[in-house]
Amino acid sequence: MYSKALDYTSLTIIIIGAINWGLIGFFDFDLVAFLFGNMSWLSRIVYAIVGICGLYALSIFGRISSASRD
């Protein structure tokens, strides 16, 4: 099932996660931990959602390869 809204939402969450990893790498600052607490249940949910969106983004590769065959 293809959903453009789900794609854009997932991409937005992935970008936010990537910015957080950039902050960790460059400045040793974890924005999620700062906002929600260090490994609190809420921060764990945020990390899990980012991970699920990253896995969902793998489906984009399948759609790109099938579109290129058309």
Side-chain angles (χ1 to χ4, degrees):
M1 178 167 69
Y2 175 69
S3 172
K4 198 174 237 188
L6 184 59
D7 287 349
Y8 283 117
T9 302
S10 178
L11 182 60
T12 301
I13 292 172
I14 292 167
I15 290 169
I16 292 169
I19 289 169
N20 188 54
W21 276 110
L23 288 171
I24 292 170
F26 288 117
F27 305 111
D28 195 26
F29 178 72
D30 188 350
L31 184 62
V32 174
F34 177 76
L35 294 175
F36 302 114
N38 190 16
M39 291 312 286
S40 69
W41 63 272
L42 195 54
S43 65
R44 292 174 63 91
I45 290 172
V46 170
Y47 291 129
I49 290 171
V50 171
I52 289 168
C53 288
L55 292 174
Y56 173 77
L58 291 173
S59 70
I60 294 171
F61 288 116
R63 283 188 258 140
I64 290 171
S65 65
S66 67
S68 66
R69 286 185 234 148
D70 295 338

